[in-house]
Amino acid sequence: MSENTDRCSVFWSTDFDRYASGELRVERVRCALCQHAPCDCPPFGTDEYYALIDARHGQGRGGRS
């Protein structure tokens, strides 16, 4: 890997293992972004959506410009 390669981070739902094992139904899986079950994220691409991503990644800078 090049030292100039951008890093990518991915958050998985804390319920993923229970879902994958059949222990938890899909509608009970908490969203990795909003952490609600079922997902309650703002519409994709909105400032609110990007603010939620930033908050989850600890950046706290709000919407995209």
Side-chain angles (χ1 to χ4, degrees):
M1 236 189 217
S2 164
E3 62 185 66
N4 293 329
T5 302
D6 289 339
R7 291 176 40 166
C8 179
S9 64
V10 176
F11 285 97
W12 291 89
S13 171
T14 55
D15 296 328
F16 182 78
D17 289 338
R18 292 178 58 211
Y19 167 71
S21 71
E23 185 181 331
L24 195 62
R25 294 174 53 114
V26 70
E27 62 271 5
R28 304 279 316 263
V29 175
R30 285 174 284 180
C31 172
L33 185 56
C34 72
Q35 301 178 341
H36 297 158
C39 175
D40 191 27
C41 285
F44 179 79
T46 62
D47 285 343
E48 294 81 7
Y49 180 83
Y50 288 118
L52 186 56
I53 289 175
D54 287 345
R56 183 77 168 112
H57 285 268
Q59 296 174 16
R61 66 174 183 239
R64 305 277 182 203
S65 13

PDB file of all heavy atoms in Angstrom, residues 11 31-36 39-43 46-64:
ATOM      1  N   PHE A  11     -18.234   1.724  10.083  1.00  0.00           N
ATOM      2  CA  PHE A  11     -18.882   1.362  11.338  1.00  0.00           C
ATOM      3  C   PHE A  11     -19.897   0.274  11.047  1.00  0.00           C
ATOM      4  O   PHE A  11     -20.676   0.386  10.104  1.00  0.00           O
ATOM      5  CB  PHE A  11     -19.600   2.569  11.964  1.00  0.00           C
ATOM      6  CG  PHE A  11     -18.671   3.555  12.584  1.00  0.00           C
ATOM      7  CD1 PHE A  11     -18.265   4.675  11.893  1.00  0.00           C
ATOM      8  CD2 PHE A  11     -18.200   3.376  13.884  1.00  0.00           C
ATOM      9  CE1 PHE A  11     -17.411   5.590  12.461  1.00  0.00           C
ATOM     10  CE2 PHE A  11     -17.349   4.284  14.454  1.00  0.00           C
ATOM     11  CZ  PHE A  11     -16.948   5.394  13.742  1.00  0.00           C
ATOM     12  N   CYS A  31     -29.214   0.740  13.307  1.00  0.00           N
ATOM     13  CA  CYS A  31     -28.443   1.359  12.233  1.00  0.00           C
ATOM     14  C   CYS A  31     -27.067   1.753  12.773  1.00  0.00           C
ATOM     15  O   CYS A  31     -26.952   2.285  13.884  1.00  0.00           O
ATOM     16  CB  CYS A  31     -29.187   2.595  11.724  1.00  0.00           C
ATOM     17  SG  CYS A  31     -28.270   3.595  10.541  1.00  0.00           S
ATOM     18  N   ALA A  32     -26.030   1.505  11.992  1.00  0.00           N
ATOM     19  CA  ALA A  32     -24.677   1.861  12.415  1.00  0.00           C
ATOM     20  C   ALA A  32     -24.485   3.376  12.478  1.00  0.00           C
ATOM     21  O   ALA A  32     -23.648   3.866  13.222  1.00  0.00           O
ATOM     22  CB  ALA A  32     -23.655   1.255  11.464  1.00  0.00           C
ATOM     23  N   LEU A  33     -25.294   4.113  11.727  1.00  0.00           N
ATOM     24  CA  LEU A  33     -25.147   5.569  11.704  1.00  0.00           C
ATOM     25  C   LEU A  33     -25.989   6.257  12.774  1.00  0.00           C
ATOM     26  O   LEU A  33     -25.457   6.922  13.660  1.00  0.00           O
ATOM     27  CB  LEU A  33     -25.501   6.103  10.311  1.00  0.00           C
ATOM     28  CG  LEU A  33     -25.290   7.585  10.071  1.00  0.00           C
ATOM     29  CD1 LEU A  33     -23.855   7.995  10.373  1.00  0.00           C
ATOM     30  CD2 LEU A  33     -25.641   7.930   8.634  1.00  0.00           C
ATOM     31  N   CYS A  34     -27.296   6.066  12.733  1.00  0.00           N
ATOM     32  CA  CYS A  34     -28.163   6.760  13.701  1.00  0.00           C
ATOM     33  C   CYS A  34     -28.340   5.962  14.995  1.00  0.00           C
ATOM     34  O   CYS A  34     -28.777   6.501  15.996  1.00  0.00           O
ATOM     35  CB  CYS A  34     -29.518   7.072  13.082  1.00  0.00           C
ATOM     36  SG  CYS A  34     -30.599   5.646  12.840  1.00  0.00           S
ATOM     37  N   GLN A  35     -28.013   4.682  14.956  1.00  0.00           N
ATOM     38  CA  GLN A  35     -28.091   3.775  16.099  1.00  0.00           C
ATOM     39  C   GLN A  35     -29.515   3.509  16.573  1.00  0.00           C
ATOM     40  O   GLN A  35     -29.726   3.114  17.705  1.00  0.00           O
ATOM     41  CB  GLN A  35     -27.186   4.251  17.235  1.00  0.00           C
ATOM     42  CG  GLN A  35     -25.740   4.342  16.799  1.00  0.00           C
ATOM     43  CD  GLN A  35     -24.829   4.854  17.873  1.00  0.00           C
ATOM     44  OE1 GLN A  35     -25.245   5.472  18.846  1.00  0.00           O
ATOM     45  NE2 GLN A  35     -23.554   4.590  17.718  1.00  0.00           N
ATOM     46  N   HIS A  36     -30.492   3.703  15.681  1.00  0.00           N
ATOM     47  CA  HIS A  36     -31.887   3.395  15.983  1.00  0.00           C
ATOM     48  C   HIS A  36     -32.309   2.137  15.229  1.00  0.00           C
ATOM     49  O   HIS A  36     -31.752   1.813  14.190  1.00  0.00           O
ATOM     50  CB  HIS A  36     -32.814   4.539  15.560  1.00  0.00           C
ATOM     51  CG  HIS A  36     -32.560   5.806  16.293  1.00  0.00           C
ATOM     52  ND1 HIS A  36     -32.945   7.015  15.794  1.00  0.00           N
ATOM     53  CD2 HIS A  36     -31.954   6.067  17.468  1.00  0.00           C
ATOM     54  CE1 HIS A  36     -32.597   7.971  16.645  1.00  0.00           C
ATOM     55  NE2 HIS A  36     -31.987   7.420  17.661  1.00  0.00           N
ATOM     56  N   CYS A  39     -33.854   2.049  11.262  1.00  0.00           N
ATOM     57  CA  CYS A  39     -33.076   3.250  10.921  1.00  0.00           C
ATOM     58  C   CYS A  39     -33.971   4.483  10.877  1.00  0.00           C
ATOM     59  O   CYS A  39     -35.097   4.447  10.390  1.00  0.00           O
ATOM     60  CB  CYS A  39     -32.411   3.042   9.566  1.00  0.00           C
ATOM     61  SG  CYS A  39     -31.528   4.494   8.952  1.00  0.00           S
ATOM     62  N   ASP A  40     -33.442   5.575  11.403  1.00  0.00           N
ATOM     63  CA  ASP A  40     -34.160   6.850  11.454  1.00  0.00           C
ATOM     64  C   ASP A  40     -33.276   7.977  10.920  1.00  0.00           C
ATOM     65  O   ASP A  40     -33.385   9.121  11.344  1.00  0.00           O
ATOM     66  CB  ASP A  40     -34.567   7.110  12.912  1.00  0.00           C
ATOM     67  CG  ASP A  40     -35.542   8.249  13.057  1.00  0.00           C
ATOM     68  OD1 ASP A  40     -36.295   8.514  12.106  1.00  0.00           O
ATOM     69  OD2 ASP A  40     -35.553   8.876  14.125  1.00  0.00           O
ATOM     70  N   CYS A  41     -32.367   7.628   9.988  1.00  0.00           N
ATOM     71  CA  CYS A  41     -31.441   8.620   9.440  1.00  0.00           C
ATOM     72  C   CYS A  41     -32.178   9.658   8.607  1.00  0.00           C
ATOM     73  O   CYS A  41     -33.195   9.355   7.979  1.00  0.00           O
ATOM     74  CB  CYS A  41     -30.409   7.942   8.543  1.00  0.00           C
ATOM     75  SG  CYS A  41     -29.133   7.042   9.437  1.00  0.00           S
ATOM     76  N   PRO A  42     -31.645  10.882   8.569  1.00  0.00           N
ATOM     77  CA  PRO A  42     -32.191  11.891   7.654  1.00  0.00           C
ATOM     78  C   PRO A  42     -31.992  11.406   6.216  1.00  0.00           C
ATOM     79  O   PRO A  42     -31.162  10.529   5.963  1.00  0.00           O
ATOM     80  CB  PRO A  42     -31.339  13.133   7.921  1.00  0.00           C
ATOM     81  CG  PRO A  42     -30.581  12.861   9.170  1.00  0.00           C
ATOM     82  CD  PRO A  42     -30.518  11.397   9.353  1.00  0.00           C
ATOM     83  N   PRO A  43     -32.700  11.978   5.255  1.00  0.00           N
ATOM     84  CA  PRO A  43     -32.533  11.565   3.863  1.00  0.00           C
ATOM     85  C   PRO A  43     -31.067  11.697   3.411  1.00  0.00           C
ATOM     86  O   PRO A  43     -30.377  12.661   3.754  1.00  0.00           O
ATOM     87  CB  PRO A  43     -33.429  12.534   3.089  1.00  0.00           C
ATOM     88  CG  PRO A  43     -34.466  12.960   4.086  1.00  0.00           C
ATOM     89  CD  PRO A  43     -33.741  13.001   5.408  1.00  0.00           C
ATOM     90  N   THR A  46     -28.530  15.019   2.473  1.00  0.00           N
ATOM     91  CA  THR A  46     -28.911  16.285   3.109  1.00  0.00           C
ATOM     92  C   THR A  46     -27.815  16.726   4.077  1.00  0.00           C
ATOM     93  O   THR A  46     -26.971  15.934   4.506  1.00  0.00           O
ATOM     94  CB  THR A  46     -30.233  16.140   3.880  1.00  0.00           C
ATOM     95  OG1 THR A  46     -30.050  15.161   4.924  1.00  0.00           O
ATOM     96  CG2 THR A  46     -31.368  15.710   2.970  1.00  0.00           C
ATOM     97  N   ASP A  47     -27.843  17.999   4.430  1.00  0.00           N
ATOM     98  CA  ASP A  47     -26.880  18.511   5.412  1.00  0.00           C
ATOM     99  C   ASP A  47     -26.998  17.756   6.732  1.00  0.00           C
ATOM    100  O   ASP A  47     -25.996  17.481   7.391  1.00  0.00           O
ATOM    101  CB  ASP A  47     -27.089  20.008   5.659  1.00  0.00           C
ATOM    102  CG  ASP A  47     -26.572  20.873   4.517  1.00  0.00           C
ATOM    103  OD1 ASP A  47     -25.768  20.371   3.695  1.00  0.00           O
ATOM    104  OD2 ASP A  47     -26.975  22.048   4.449  1.00  0.00           O
ATOM    105  N   GLU A  48     -28.225  17.409   7.111  1.00  0.00           N
ATOM    106  CA  GLU A  48     -28.446  16.683   8.362  1.00  0.00           C
ATOM    107  C   GLU A  48     -27.804  15.292   8.316  1.00  0.00           C
ATOM    108  O   GLU A  48     -27.238  14.831   9.307  1.00  0.00           O
ATOM    109  CB  GLU A  48     -29.943  16.556   8.657  1.00  0.00           C
ATOM    110  CG  GLU A  48     -30.632  17.867   8.951  1.00  0.00           C
ATOM    111  CD  GLU A  48     -31.009  18.662   7.694  1.00  0.00           C
ATOM    112  OE1 GLU A  48     -30.852  18.137   6.558  1.00  0.00           O
ATOM    113  OE2 GLU A  48     -31.445  19.811   7.850  1.00  0.00           O
ATOM    114  N   TYR A  49     -27.876  14.648   7.164  1.00  0.00           N
ATOM    115  CA  TYR A  49     -27.267  13.326   6.989  1.00  0.00           C
ATOM    116  C   TYR A  49     -25.749  13.425   7.158  1.00  0.00           C
ATOM    117  O   TYR A  49     -25.143  12.654   7.890  1.00  0.00           O
ATOM    118  CB  TYR A  49     -27.625  12.765   5.612  1.00  0.00           C
ATOM    119  CG  TYR A  49     -27.028  11.412   5.349  1.00  0.00           C
ATOM    120  CD1 TYR A  49     -27.651  10.254   5.814  1.00  0.00           C
ATOM    121  CD2 TYR A  49     -25.856  11.277   4.624  1.00  0.00           C
ATOM    122  CE1 TYR A  49     -27.111   9.011   5.571  1.00  0.00           C
ATOM    123  CE2 TYR A  49     -25.311  10.037   4.368  1.00  0.00           C
ATOM    124  CZ  TYR A  49     -25.933   8.899   4.845  1.00  0.00           C
ATOM    125  OH  TYR A  49     -25.395   7.669   4.609  1.00  0.00           O
ATOM    126  N   TYR A  50     -25.128  14.403   6.475  1.00  0.00           N
ATOM    127  CA  TYR A  50     -23.679  14.552   6.573  1.00  0.00           C
ATOM    128  C   TYR A  50     -23.247  14.987   7.969  1.00  0.00           C
ATOM    129  O   TYR A  50     -22.179  14.602   8.443  1.00  0.00           O
ATOM    130  CB  TYR A  50     -23.161  15.523   5.513  1.00  0.00           C
ATOM    131  CG  TYR A  50     -23.216  14.921   4.132  1.00  0.00           C
ATOM    132  CD1 TYR A  50     -24.002  15.487   3.136  1.00  0.00           C
ATOM    133  CD2 TYR A  50     -22.507  13.759   3.827  1.00  0.00           C
ATOM    134  CE1 TYR A  50     -24.060  14.928   1.872  1.00  0.00           C
ATOM    135  CE2 TYR A  50     -22.570  13.191   2.567  1.00  0.00           C
ATOM    136  CZ  TYR A  50     -23.337  13.779   1.600  1.00  0.00           C
ATOM    137  OH  TYR A  50     -23.398  13.220   0.352  1.00  0.00           O
ATOM    138  N   ALA A  51     -24.071  15.779   8.649  1.00  0.00           N
ATOM    139  CA  ALA A  51     -23.759  16.167  10.029  1.00  0.00           C
ATOM    140  C   ALA A  51     -23.755  14.932  10.934  1.00  0.00           C
ATOM    141  O   ALA A  51     -22.916  14.807  11.834  1.00  0.00           O
ATOM    142  CB  ALA A  51     -24.760  17.200  10.536  1.00  0.00           C
ATOM    143  N   LEU A  52     -24.675  14.001  10.688  1.00  0.00           N
ATOM    144  CA  LEU A  52     -24.731  12.766  11.462  1.00  0.00           C
ATOM    145  C   LEU A  52     -23.490  11.914  11.208  1.00  0.00           C
ATOM    146  O   LEU A  52     -22.900  11.359  12.144  1.00  0.00           O
ATOM    147  CB  LEU A  52     -26.004  11.996  11.109  1.00  0.00           C
ATOM    148  CG  LEU A  52     -26.314  10.751  11.927  1.00  0.00           C
ATOM    149  CD1 LEU A  52     -26.386  11.055  13.424  1.00  0.00           C
ATOM    150  CD2 LEU A  52     -27.624  10.137  11.451  1.00  0.00           C
ATOM    151  N   ILE A  53     -23.050  11.848   9.957  1.00  0.00           N
ATOM    152  CA  ILE A  53     -21.813  11.124   9.638  1.00  0.00           C
ATOM    153  C   ILE A  53     -20.638  11.764  10.362  1.00  0.00           C
ATOM    154  O   ILE A  53     -19.827  11.075  10.986  1.00  0.00           O
ATOM    155  CB  ILE A  53     -21.560  11.108   8.118  1.00  0.00           C
ATOM    156  CG1 ILE A  53     -22.570  10.205   7.436  1.00  0.00           C
ATOM    157  CG2 ILE A  53     -20.134  10.635   7.819  1.00  0.00           C
ATOM    158  CD1 ILE A  53     -22.484  10.226   5.926  1.00  0.00           C
ATOM    159  N   ASP A  54     -20.525  13.079  10.273  1.00  0.00           N
ATOM    160  CA  ASP A  54     -19.419  13.776  10.944  1.00  0.00           C
ATOM    161  C   ASP A  54     -19.447  13.543  12.444  1.00  0.00           C
ATOM    162  O   ASP A  54     -18.407  13.301  13.063  1.00  0.00           O
ATOM    163  CB  ASP A  54     -19.478  15.282  10.657  1.00  0.00           C
ATOM    164  CG  ASP A  54     -19.057  15.620   9.237  1.00  0.00           C
ATOM    165  OD1 ASP A  54     -18.449  14.763   8.558  1.00  0.00           O
ATOM    166  OD2 ASP A  54     -19.349  16.752   8.797  1.00  0.00           O
ATOM    167  N   ALA A  55     -20.609  13.609  13.044  1.00  0.00           N
ATOM    168  CA  ALA A  55     -20.728  13.387  14.488  1.00  0.00           C
ATOM    169  C   ALA A  55     -20.320  11.956  14.845  1.00  0.00           C
ATOM    170  O   ALA A  55     -19.615  11.731  15.836  1.00  0.00           O
ATOM    171  CB  ALA A  55     -22.150  13.672  14.958  1.00  0.00           C
ATOM    172  N   ARG A  56     -20.731  10.999  14.041  1.00  0.00           N
ATOM    173  CA  ARG A  56     -20.407   9.595  14.307  1.00  0.00           C
ATOM    174  C   ARG A  56     -18.918   9.341  14.183  1.00  0.00           C
ATOM    175  O   ARG A  56     -18.349   8.538  14.903  1.00  0.00           O
ATOM    176  CB  ARG A  56     -21.191   8.696  13.340  1.00  0.00           C
ATOM    177  CG  ARG A  56     -21.006   7.234  13.565  1.00  0.00           C
ATOM    178  CD  ARG A  56     -21.817   6.781  14.773  1.00  0.00           C
ATOM    179  NE  ARG A  56     -21.862   5.339  14.810  1.00  0.00           N
ATOM    180  CZ  ARG A  56     -21.256   4.612  15.755  1.00  0.00           C
ATOM    181  NH1 ARG A  56     -20.621   5.199  16.734  1.00  0.00           N
ATOM    182  NH2 ARG A  56     -21.325   3.318  15.708  1.00  0.00           N
ATOM    183  N   HIS A  57     -18.265  10.059  13.286  1.00  0.00           N
ATOM    184  CA  HIS A  57     -16.825   9.914  13.088  1.00  0.00           C
ATOM    185  C   HIS A  57     -16.033  10.861  13.996  1.00  0.00           C
ATOM    186  O   HIS A  57     -14.817  10.939  13.875  1.00  0.00           O
ATOM    187  CB  HIS A  57     -16.449  10.150  11.618  1.00  0.00           C
ATOM    188  CG  HIS A  57     -16.814   9.008  10.740  1.00  0.00           C
ATOM    189  ND1 HIS A  57     -15.959   7.988  10.447  1.00  0.00           N
ATOM    190  CD2 HIS A  57     -17.984   8.714  10.109  1.00  0.00           C
ATOM    191  CE1 HIS A  57     -16.557   7.114   9.662  1.00  0.00           C
ATOM    192  NE2 HIS A  57     -17.788   7.531   9.447  1.00  0.00           N
ATOM    193  N   GLY A  58     -16.725  11.587  14.862  1.00  0.00           N
ATOM    194  CA  GLY A  58     -16.064  12.448  15.831  1.00  0.00           C
ATOM    195  C   GLY A  58     -15.508  13.743  15.257  1.00  0.00           C
ATOM    196  O   GLY A  58     -14.658  14.362  15.871  1.00  0.00           O
ATOM    197  N   GLN A  59     -16.005  14.166  14.111  1.00  0.00           N
ATOM    198  CA  GLN A  59     -15.482  15.388  13.514  1.00  0.00           C
ATOM    199  C   GLN A  59     -16.296  16.605  13.893  1.00  0.00           C
ATOM    200  O   GLN A  59     -15.739  17.682  14.021  1.00  0.00           O
ATOM    201  CB  GLN A  59     -15.424  15.238  11.991  1.00  0.00           C
ATOM    202  CG  GLN A  59     -14.456  14.159  11.594  1.00  0.00           C
ATOM    203  CD  GLN A  59     -14.482  13.891  10.106  1.00  0.00           C
ATOM    204  OE1 GLN A  59     -15.003  14.685   9.330  1.00  0.00           O
ATOM    205  NE2 GLN A  59     -13.932  12.768   9.717  1.00  0.00           N
ATOM    206  N   GLY A  60     -17.594  16.460  14.035  1.00  0.00           N
ATOM    207  CA  GLY A  60     -18.449  17.525  14.533  1.00  0.00           C
ATOM    208  C   GLY A  60     -18.409  18.818  13.749  1.00  0.00           C
ATOM    209  O   GLY A  60     -18.605  19.880  14.302  1.00  0.00           O
ATOM    210  N   ARG A  61     -18.186  18.741  12.459  1.00  0.00           N
ATOM    211  CA  ARG A  61     -18.104  19.996  11.684  1.00  0.00           C
ATOM    212  C   ARG A  61     -19.382  20.331  10.965  1.00  0.00           C
ATOM    213  O   ARG A  61     -19.446  21.309  10.233  1.00  0.00           O
ATOM    214  CB  ARG A  61     -16.940  19.939  10.717  1.00  0.00           C
ATOM    215  CG  ARG A  61     -17.108  18.905   9.634  1.00  0.00           C
ATOM    216  CD  ARG A  61     -15.977  19.001   8.635  1.00  0.00           C
ATOM    217  NE  ARG A  61     -16.231  18.027   7.594  1.00  0.00           N
ATOM    218  CZ  ARG A  61     -15.434  17.054   7.266  1.00  0.00           C
ATOM    219  NH1 ARG A  61     -14.285  16.916   7.874  1.00  0.00           N
ATOM    220  NH2 ARG A  61     -15.748  16.229   6.305  1.00  0.00           N
ATOM    221  N   GLY A  62     -20.410  19.518  11.120  1.00  0.00           N
ATOM    222  CA  GLY A  62     -21.697  19.830  10.499  1.00  0.00           C
ATOM    223  C   GLY A  62     -21.770  19.407   9.059  1.00  0.00           C
ATOM    224  O   GLY A  62     -21.081  18.503   8.630  1.00  0.00           O
ATOM    225  N   GLY A  63     -22.630  20.083   8.287  1.00  0.00           N
ATOM    226  CA  GLY A  63     -22.896  19.725   6.903  1.00  0.00           C
ATOM    227  C   GLY A  63     -21.735  19.983   5.968  1.00  0.00           C
ATOM    228  O   GLY A  63     -20.744  20.618   6.326  1.00  0.00           O
ATOM    229  N   ARG A  64     -21.857  19.477   4.784  1.00  0.00           N
ATOM    230  CA  ARG A  64     -20.844  19.646   3.739  1.00  0.00           C
ATOM    231  C   ARG A  64     -21.058  20.970   3.035  1.00  0.00           C
ATOM    232  O   ARG A  64     -22.133  21.502   2.970  1.00  0.00           O
ATOM    233  CB  ARG A  64     -20.942  18.521   2.713  1.00  0.00           C
ATOM    234  CG  ARG A  64     -20.855  17.155   3.301  1.00  0.00           C
ATOM    235  CD  ARG A  64     -19.448  16.769   3.515  1.00  0.00           C
ATOM    236  NE  ARG A  64     -19.448  15.412   4.045  1.00  0.00           N
ATOM    237  CZ  ARG A  64     -18.478  14.913   4.735  1.00  0.00           C
ATOM    238  NH1 ARG A  64     -17.429  15.609   4.980  1.00  0.00           N
ATOM    239  NH2 ARG A  64     -18.518  13.689   5.179  1.00  0.00           N
TER     240      ARG A  64
END
